[in-house]
Short mmCIF file of all heavy atoms in Angstrom, two decimals:
data_model
loop_
_atom_site.label_atom_id
_atom_site.label_comp_id
_atom_site.label_asym_id
_atom_site.label_seq_id
_atom_site.Cartn_x
_atom_site.Cartn_y
_atom_site.Cartn_z
N ARG A 1 37.97 42.11 -23.36
CA ARG A 1 36.83 42.24 -22.31
C ARG A 1 37.49 42.65 -21.04
O ARG A 1 38.63 42.39 -20.66
CB ARG A 1 36.17 40.76 -22.06
CG ARG A 1 35.37 40.37 -23.29
CD ARG A 1 34.80 39.05 -22.92
NE ARG A 1 35.82 37.91 -22.83
CZ ARG A 1 35.61 36.77 -22.21
NH1 ARG A 1 34.46 36.60 -21.49
NH2 ARG A 1 36.54 35.91 -22.20
N VAL A 2 36.74 43.40 -20.31
CA VAL A 2 37.25 44.17 -19.09
C VAL A 2 36.21 43.71 -17.92
O VAL A 2 34.87 43.83 -18.18
CB VAL A 2 37.38 45.55 -19.31
CG1 VAL A 2 37.76 46.27 -17.85
CG2 VAL A 2 38.54 45.95 -20.25
N GLY A 3 36.77 43.44 -16.88
CA GLY A 3 35.88 43.13 -15.53
C GLY A 3 36.53 43.84 -14.40
O GLY A 3 37.70 43.87 -14.19
N HIS A 4 35.62 44.36 -13.42
CA HIS A 4 36.12 45.02 -12.14
C HIS A 4 35.62 44.11 -11.04
O HIS A 4 34.46 43.45 -11.05
CB HIS A 4 35.54 46.40 -11.96
CG HIS A 4 35.79 47.36 -13.03
ND1 HIS A 4 37.15 47.72 -13.32
CD2 HIS A 4 35.07 48.11 -13.85
CE1 HIS A 4 37.16 48.54 -14.31
NE2 HIS A 4 35.94 48.89 -14.56
N TRP A 5 36.26 44.13 -9.95
CA TRP A 5 35.86 43.73 -8.56
C TRP A 5 36.10 44.86 -7.69
O TRP A 5 37.20 45.47 -7.63
CB TRP A 5 36.59 42.49 -8.10
CG TRP A 5 36.17 42.22 -6.70
CD1 TRP A 5 35.13 41.44 -6.30
CD2 TRP A 5 36.84 42.55 -5.47
NE1 TRP A 5 35.12 41.30 -4.88
CE2 TRP A 5 36.19 42.02 -4.36
CE3 TRP A 5 38.06 43.34 -5.25
CZ2 TRP A 5 36.61 42.23 -3.11
CZ3 TRP A 5 38.48 43.61 -3.90
CH2 TRP A 5 37.69 43.00 -2.80
N THR A 6 35.14 45.41 -6.92
CA THR A 6 35.21 46.61 -6.25
C THR A 6 34.85 46.38 -4.73
O THR A 6 33.77 45.73 -4.40
CB THR A 6 34.24 47.74 -6.79
OG1 THR A 6 34.68 47.95 -8.15
CG2 THR A 6 34.41 49.00 -5.99
N ASP A 7 35.60 46.76 -3.83
CA ASP A 7 35.35 46.76 -2.34
C ASP A 7 35.02 48.18 -1.96
O ASP A 7 35.93 49.07 -1.74
CB ASP A 7 36.46 46.07 -1.62
CG ASP A 7 36.16 46.09 -0.03
OD1 ASP A 7 35.11 46.62 0.31
OD2 ASP A 7 37.06 45.62 0.63
N GLU A 8 33.70 48.50 -1.90
CA GLU A 8 33.31 49.96 -1.58
C GLU A 8 33.55 50.30 -0.26
O GLU A 8 33.52 51.47 0.30
CB GLU A 8 31.87 50.18 -2.02
CG GLU A 8 31.67 49.98 -3.60
CD GLU A 8 30.20 50.29 -3.97
OE1 GLU A 8 29.33 50.25 -3.04
OE2 GLU A 8 30.00 50.43 -5.06
N VAL A 9 33.64 49.29 0.68
CA VAL A 9 33.94 49.49 2.14
C VAL A 9 35.37 49.66 2.36
O VAL A 9 35.81 50.66 3.12
CB VAL A 9 33.30 48.48 3.05
CG1 VAL A 9 33.66 48.61 4.49
CG2 VAL A 9 31.81 48.37 2.79
N GLY A 10 36.13 48.70 2.03
CA GLY A 10 37.74 48.82 2.26
C GLY A 10 38.31 49.75 1.22
O GLY A 10 39.45 50.07 1.46
N LEU A 11 37.69 50.21 0.30
CA LEU A 11 38.08 51.12 -0.77
C LEU A 11 39.32 50.56 -1.43
O LEU A 11 40.43 51.05 -1.40
CB LEU A 11 38.37 52.40 -0.18
CG LEU A 11 37.24 53.23 0.35
CD1 LEU A 11 37.64 54.53 1.05
CD2 LEU A 11 36.08 53.40 -0.73
N THR A 12 39.18 49.42 -2.18
CA THR A 12 40.20 48.80 -2.99
C THR A 12 39.40 48.04 -3.99
O THR A 12 38.30 47.93 -4.01
CB THR A 12 41.08 47.90 -2.08
OG1 THR A 12 42.28 47.63 -3.01
CG2 THR A 12 40.40 46.81 -1.52
N GLY A 13 40.23 47.40 -4.88
CA GLY A 13 39.65 46.69 -5.91
C GLY A 13 40.58 46.19 -7.06
O GLY A 13 41.83 46.43 -6.82
N CYS A 14 40.21 45.51 -7.95
CA CYS A 14 40.95 45.07 -9.02
C CYS A 14 40.24 45.08 -10.44
O CYS A 14 39.00 45.02 -10.45
CB CYS A 14 41.59 43.75 -8.80
SG CYS A 14 40.36 42.35 -8.54
N THR A 15 41.02 45.06 -11.48
CA THR A 15 40.50 45.19 -12.78
C THR A 15 41.26 44.19 -13.75
O THR A 15 42.38 44.13 -13.68
CB THR A 15 40.57 46.53 -13.37
OG1 THR A 15 39.84 47.49 -12.60
CG2 THR A 15 39.97 46.62 -14.88
N VAL A 16 40.44 43.40 -14.44
CA VAL A 16 41.09 42.45 -15.41
C VAL A 16 40.78 42.71 -16.73
O VAL A 16 39.79 43.17 -17.15
CB VAL A 16 40.69 40.93 -14.93
CG1 VAL A 16 39.26 40.72 -15.33
CG2 VAL A 16 41.59 39.94 -15.65
N VAL A 17 41.74 42.61 -17.73
CA VAL A 17 41.58 42.72 -19.13
C VAL A 17 41.81 41.29 -19.69
O VAL A 17 42.90 40.74 -19.61
CB VAL A 17 42.61 43.59 -19.74
CG1 VAL A 17 42.46 43.68 -21.20
CG2 VAL A 17 42.45 45.04 -19.21
N LEU A 18 40.75 40.60 -20.29
CA LEU A 18 40.93 39.41 -20.83
C LEU A 18 41.13 39.44 -22.37
O LEU A 18 40.46 40.33 -23.01
CB LEU A 18 39.60 38.56 -20.61
CG LEU A 18 39.17 38.36 -19.09
CD1 LEU A 18 37.85 37.58 -19.15
CD2 LEU A 18 40.39 37.52 -18.49
N CYS A 19 42.09 38.71 -22.88
CA CYS A 19 42.61 38.89 -24.19
C CYS A 19 42.02 37.74 -25.10
O CYS A 19 41.84 36.67 -24.50
CB CYS A 19 44.01 38.78 -24.27
SG CYS A 19 45.00 39.86 -23.13
N PRO A 20 41.76 38.04 -26.38
CA PRO A 20 41.34 37.03 -27.26
C PRO A 20 42.51 35.98 -27.56
O PRO A 20 43.64 36.51 -27.41
CB PRO A 20 40.87 37.81 -28.53
CG PRO A 20 41.69 39.13 -28.46
CD PRO A 20 41.69 39.44 -27.09
N PRO A 21 42.18 34.83 -28.10
CA PRO A 21 43.34 33.91 -28.51
C PRO A 21 44.36 34.52 -29.42
O PRO A 21 44.02 35.28 -30.33
CB PRO A 21 42.69 32.75 -29.11
CG PRO A 21 41.19 32.82 -28.42
CD PRO A 21 40.81 34.27 -28.32
N GLY A 22 45.64 34.26 -29.22
CA GLY A 22 46.70 34.77 -30.05
C GLY A 22 47.23 36.13 -29.88
O GLY A 22 47.97 36.63 -30.59
N THR A 23 46.74 36.76 -28.74
CA THR A 23 47.11 38.12 -28.40
C THR A 23 48.71 38.11 -27.98
O THR A 23 49.09 37.42 -27.14
CB THR A 23 46.33 38.80 -27.21
OG1 THR A 23 45.00 38.75 -27.61
CG2 THR A 23 46.77 40.07 -26.92
N VAL A 24 49.42 38.98 -28.74
CA VAL A 24 50.81 39.19 -28.40
C VAL A 24 50.97 40.27 -27.39
O VAL A 24 50.32 41.32 -27.46
CB VAL A 24 51.63 39.49 -29.67
CG1 VAL A 24 53.09 39.77 -29.31
CG2 VAL A 24 51.49 38.36 -30.71
N GLY A 25 51.81 40.16 -26.39
CA GLY A 25 51.97 41.31 -25.42
C GLY A 25 53.40 41.47 -25.00
O GLY A 25 54.42 40.75 -25.12
N SER A 26 53.55 42.83 -24.57
CA SER A 26 54.83 43.16 -24.11
C SER A 26 54.49 44.34 -23.02
O SER A 26 53.47 44.53 -22.75
CB SER A 26 55.74 43.78 -25.18
OG SER A 26 57.11 44.05 -24.63
N GLY A 27 55.68 44.98 -22.59
CA GLY A 27 55.39 45.98 -21.54
C GLY A 27 56.69 46.78 -21.13
O GLY A 27 57.74 46.26 -21.54
N GLU A 28 56.53 47.78 -20.38
CA GLU A 28 57.69 48.55 -19.87
C GLU A 28 57.29 49.08 -18.59
O GLU A 28 56.30 49.68 -18.34
CB GLU A 28 57.93 49.78 -20.89
CG GLU A 28 58.93 50.74 -20.50
CD GLU A 28 60.44 50.26 -20.68
OE1 GLU A 28 60.57 49.09 -21.14
OE2 GLU A 28 61.38 50.92 -20.31
N ILE A 29 58.34 49.02 -17.65
CA ILE A 29 58.17 49.43 -16.26
C ILE A 29 59.17 50.61 -16.06
O ILE A 29 60.31 50.49 -16.40
CB ILE A 29 58.42 48.32 -15.21
CG1 ILE A 29 57.53 47.14 -15.54
CG2 ILE A 29 58.29 48.88 -13.82
CD1 ILE A 29 57.85 46.01 -14.69
N ARG A 30 58.62 51.66 -15.43
CA ARG A 30 59.43 52.88 -15.23
C ARG A 30 59.08 53.45 -13.83
O ARG A 30 58.00 53.24 -13.36
CB ARG A 30 59.32 54.04 -16.30
CG ARG A 30 59.88 53.49 -17.60
CD ARG A 30 59.78 54.64 -18.67
NE ARG A 30 60.27 54.25 -20.02
CZ ARG A 30 60.21 55.03 -21.12
NH1 ARG A 30 59.67 56.25 -20.96
NH2 ARG A 30 60.64 54.57 -22.16
N GLY A 31 59.95 54.21 -13.31
CA GLY A 31 59.76 54.77 -12.00
C GLY A 31 60.54 53.98 -10.92
O GLY A 31 60.92 52.83 -11.28
N GLY A 32 60.52 54.52 -9.72
CA GLY A 32 61.44 53.92 -8.67
C GLY A 32 60.59 53.00 -7.77
O GLY A 32 61.24 52.28 -6.85
N ALA A 33 59.31 52.79 -7.94
CA ALA A 33 58.44 52.13 -6.93
C ALA A 33 57.56 51.07 -7.58
O ALA A 33 56.27 51.28 -7.26
CB ALA A 33 57.81 52.94 -5.93
N PRO A 34 57.81 50.15 -8.47
CA PRO A 34 56.91 49.48 -9.08
C PRO A 34 56.56 48.18 -8.34
O PRO A 34 57.34 47.75 -7.45
CB PRO A 34 57.59 48.86 -10.47
CG PRO A 34 59.05 48.97 -9.95
CD PRO A 34 59.34 50.01 -9.07
N GLY A 35 55.37 47.62 -8.57
CA GLY A 35 55.04 46.32 -7.98
C GLY A 35 54.40 45.44 -9.04
O GLY A 35 53.27 45.72 -9.53
N THR A 36 55.07 44.38 -9.45
CA THR A 36 54.55 43.64 -10.73
C THR A 36 54.78 42.17 -10.55
O THR A 36 55.53 41.60 -9.60
CB THR A 36 55.36 44.03 -11.95
OG1 THR A 36 56.71 43.76 -11.73
CG2 THR A 36 55.12 45.53 -12.25
N ARG A 37 54.11 41.38 -11.35
CA ARG A 37 54.26 39.93 -11.44
C ARG A 37 54.21 39.55 -12.87
O ARG A 37 53.34 40.04 -13.73
CB ARG A 37 52.96 39.31 -10.68
CG ARG A 37 52.80 37.81 -10.83
CD ARG A 37 51.73 37.31 -9.97
NE ARG A 37 51.24 36.04 -10.38
CZ ARG A 37 50.55 35.26 -9.57
NH1 ARG A 37 50.25 35.71 -8.36
NH2 ARG A 37 50.08 34.10 -10.07
N GLU A 38 55.13 38.52 -13.26
CA GLU A 38 55.12 37.98 -14.60
C GLU A 38 55.50 39.02 -15.70
O GLU A 38 55.01 39.06 -16.78
CB GLU A 38 53.85 37.26 -15.02
CG GLU A 38 53.61 35.99 -14.08
CD GLU A 38 54.31 34.74 -14.72
OE1 GLU A 38 55.55 34.95 -15.00
OE2 GLU A 38 53.68 33.67 -14.78
N THR A 39 56.16 40.10 -15.28
CA THR A 39 56.44 41.15 -16.37
C THR A 39 57.89 40.88 -17.03
O THR A 39 58.08 41.43 -18.11
CB THR A 39 56.52 42.52 -15.69
OG1 THR A 39 57.29 42.53 -14.46
CG2 THR A 39 55.10 43.00 -15.33
N ASP A 40 58.67 40.11 -16.43
CA ASP A 40 59.97 39.80 -17.07
C ASP A 40 59.81 39.07 -18.40
O ASP A 40 60.51 39.32 -19.38
CB ASP A 40 60.93 38.89 -16.24
CG ASP A 40 61.61 39.73 -15.19
OD1 ASP A 40 61.61 41.01 -15.19
OD2 ASP A 40 62.16 39.19 -14.13
N LEU A 41 58.76 38.27 -18.46
CA LEU A 41 58.58 37.54 -19.69
C LEU A 41 57.99 38.36 -20.91
O LEU A 41 57.96 37.96 -22.04
CB LEU A 41 57.50 36.30 -19.49
CG LEU A 41 56.20 36.56 -18.79
CD1 LEU A 41 55.20 37.19 -19.94
CD2 LEU A 41 55.60 35.33 -18.30
#
């Protein structure tokens, strides 16, 4: 499932992806200017 929160005045927002039970996850960060949380795990 996917949900948005949008600030049309400040021109910013966020988007969440909700996972079903048992979803396995991984990831990869590249480039010189990332901003992340809980990605080491």
Side-chain angles (χ1 to χ4, degrees):
R1 293 178 289 157
V2 173
H4 298 301
W5 175 85
T6 302
D7 180 352
E8 295 181 347
V9 176
L11 296 180
T12 190
C14 63
T15 299
V16 67
V17 178
L18 298 179
C19 308
T23 297
V24 176
S26 188
E28 174 77 2
I29 302 168
R30 294 183 180 178
T36 61
R37 165 174 165 163
E38 293 278 46
T39 49
D40 280 349
L41 57 77

